[in-house]
Amino acid sequence: MASNEESLLDQENGYLDVDDATDPVIRLTSRTYQDYDETEATFVPDPLVTQPKNGVIATASTIISNMIGVGVLGLPTAAAGLGWSLFAILLIVFTALSMYSSLVLGWLKGRMASLHGYPELAEAAAKARGPAAQRFYRRLVSGILFAYLQGVCTLYLITIKISLESVFEVCPDASLSNGTASTPRGATCEAQACTDHGIMDLPDSVWLFFSVMLLFPFVQNRSLAKNAWLSFVGVATILVVDLVVLIRCFQELSHSDHVRDTYHEWKLLDVVNSITVMVFAYGGHALMPDILAEMKDPKDFPKAVYYSQGFMGINYALIGFVGYAAYGNTVQNPITLSLPPDGASIFTNIMLLLHVGVAYCINSTVFVRNLFDTIWPGFIHKSTNTPLLRKRWAGLSLGVLLLSFIVAVIVPYFNDLMDVYSAVSIFALSIWVPALLMLLAQQGSLSLPLLVFNVLLIVVALFGSGMGIWAAFDDLIDKLKHCPVRFSK
């Protein structure tokens, strides 16, 4: 069995020494994030990042901006599929798992600025197994990461489209009640986003094109730390959205004639899809190494994790429970589609548009950085802000936008795309991959309880991913057959 010295990268190559590696979970808040020493000066600064400068609050805000968004707005539908008690239990479980995975990824990165992204982290964790294993795990994580980032960019683009329609699209007379159709199997088709104050009547594809045009100028941003103020905008806008949603839900509950069906009968397909919605709400670990890399004092990373995950847990509980109580089993994903299409809805969707725009830019920045490093290895470390760098960045960011546009036009069902991407990538990056990398990095030095816990985590997450893929595609195929798609008028 390999020793700690053989299984862990040494300080020179990116990880802590053997003393720091003992009982890593216990030490996550102590020596793992000790301040950078003078050896850091030997690393070449990344011209796309500049020097790390984010503090605890800015880092926590970036995590919240990245994680909270379209995911939280789908939690009422998860509560509808799971029922009150199971939803409450899983909310606690997923909050704890999200916190654990974040801390593990932070510990694995250690204090070395040279390890910037998730693929590099995977490659470093497999060092003891040789170059072939390092290449394998880097490619594996890169593939999952690219699927995740492309997926969330597509979902954010659809969300921006929904927000634009909710502000400008005219509601047909029959849709003023925000009613929805159902498939023969009972699946609910997604409601048409519109407003009774609308001024346009356009197909979904045109609104998606407008969304692309809105985003393109902003995805040229190449640094998270350089524009940390965006994270505060992201947090502020989603808080406004959540507040308005809660107010509208309480208004719905206060009506004397309010009667909503919250009777729950568990169905396997609904339970699995609801779990994937919850997992999606806690997605975002793909960006944790990048977020930590731009932190001024990495030893404070656990504080940022505790602040962000604690805030998210409270926020998720409020939206999930209150939204389900207000709209019952007919609640839409996102819940903004269940709100009356009036002036308050317009304001809410403007705030949601701003938030999702920020979230798209954060994810696009990390995605394009990783694509850069894959296509032109080392280029971002050698080049300054040259015309060639700017052209390549613009081309890649436009490519991501166009691919998101194509997927969104072909499969415009927000809820089902969320389930697919959650099952394919978020179960991996947020649950079983951190556990796997912990096992690779420790090479037998973990305590028995921690070893068993991580192995079980991998097995359960892989099983959940497989079930999620089955349920998501089953529901998606059903909707493609029976739910209308507005490609054109």
Side-chain angles (χ1 to χ4, degrees), residues 18-155:
V18 64
D19 292 333
D20 286 330
T22 305
D23 296 325
V25 177
I26 297 176
R27 293 178 178 267
L28 283 171
T29 58
S30 55
R31 297 182 63 187
T32 305
Y33 300 101
Q34 284 181 349
D35 53 344
Y36 284 62
D37 55 32
E38 293 181 359
T39 62
E40 287 296 305
T42 64
F43 291 107
V44 179
D46 185 341
L48 294 184
V49 179
T50 70
Q51 294 300 314
K53 61 179 182 179
N54 284 347
V56 174
I57 302 302
T59 300
S61 297
T62 302
I63 294 172
I64 293 170
S65 293
N66 175 46
M67 285 189 167
I68 293 187
V70 295
V72 65
L73 300 178
L75 289 176
T77 63
L82 296 169
W84 298 103
S85 57
L86 186 55
F87 177 75
I89 292 170
L90 290 178
L91 196 63
I92 296 171
V93 169
F94 285 131
T95 300
L97 284 179
S98 178
M99 200 173 293
Y100 174 78
S101 294
S102 300
L103 294 174
V104 166
L105 290 171
W107 173 81
L108 286 168
K109 185 185 182 305
R111 54 184 171 178
M112 302 306 287
S114 58
L115 296 179
H116 194 280
Y118 215 135
E120 293 170 338
L121 207 62
E123 182 180 24
K127 182 187 179 186
R129 294 179 177 266
Q134 286 184 289
R135 288 192 298 271
F136 170 78
Y137 284 107
R138 180 178 182 123
R139 289 169 182 170
L140 173 67
V141 171
S142 292
I144 299 171
L145 177 65
F146 290 172
Y148 164 78
L149 291 171
Q150 184 61 62
V152 295
C153 285
T154 303
L155 287 169

Side-chain angles (χ1 to χ4, degrees), residues 102-266:
S102 300
L103 294 174
V104 166
L105 290 171
W107 173 81
L108 286 168
K109 185 185 182 305
R111 54 184 171 178
M112 302 306 287
S114 58
L115 296 179
H116 194 280
Y118 215 135
E120 293 170 338
L121 207 62
E123 182 180 24
K127 182 187 179 186
R129 294 179 177 266
Q134 286 184 289
R135 288 192 298 271
F136 170 78
Y137 284 107
R138 180 178 182 123
R139 289 169 182 170
L140 173 67
V141 171
S142 292
I144 299 171
L145 177 65
F146 290 172
Y148 164 78
L149 291 171
Q150 184 61 62
V152 295
C153 285
T154 303
L155 287 169
Y156 289 146
L157 188 66
I158 293 175
T159 306
I160 292 173
K161 184 266 297 184
I162 291 173
S163 296
L164 288 174
E165 288 178 329
S166 299
V167 174
F168 298 109
E169 178 72 15
V170 176
C171 284
D173 291 342
S175 299
L176 285 174
S177 62
N178 233 18
T180 56
S182 297
T183 70
R185 289 173 47 185
T188 302
C189 299
E190 293 177 12
Q192 170 61 45
C194 60
T195 174
D196 49 12
H197 300 286
I199 58 174
M200 300 180 186
D201 185 18
L202 300 172
D204 288 348
S205 54
V206 175
W207 288 116
L208 282 169
F209 178 76
F210 287 164
S211 302
V212 170
M213 297 299 292
L214 279 174
L215 283 172
F216 180 69
F218 300 100
V219 296
Q220 307 312 309
N221 169 50
R222 300 190 292 272
S223 171
L224 299 180
K226 194 173 182 180
N227 295 285
W229 61 272
L230 282 174
S231 65
F232 295 107
V233 173
V235 173
T237 49
I238 196 60
L239 284 178
V240 172
V241 171
D242 289 353
L243 180 61
V244 175
V245 168
L246 287 173
I247 291 173
R248 300 309 297 266
C249 288
F250 282 122
Q251 288 176 341
E252 182 72 20
L253 288 168
S254 66
H255 291 165
S256 58
D257 58 347
H258 176 269
V259 178
R260 292 291 180 181
D261 178 17
T262 57
Y263 171 77
H264 186 265
E265 180 180 348
W266 280 333

Side-chain angles (χ1 to χ4, degrees), residues 150 153-154 157 205 208-213 215-216 219-220 360 364 367-368 371 394-410 421:
Q150 184 61 62
C153 285
T154 303
L157 188 66
S205 54
L208 282 169
F209 178 76
F210 287 164
S211 302
V212 170
M213 297 299 292
L215 283 172
F216 180 69
V219 296
Q220 307 312 309
Y360 185 98
S364 176
F367 193 7
V368 176
L371 287 173
L396 287 176
S397 59
L398 178 60
V400 171
L401 261 175
L402 290 178
L403 183 55
S404 299
F405 173 81
I406 292 170
V407 174
V409 167
I410 296 173
Y421 285 124

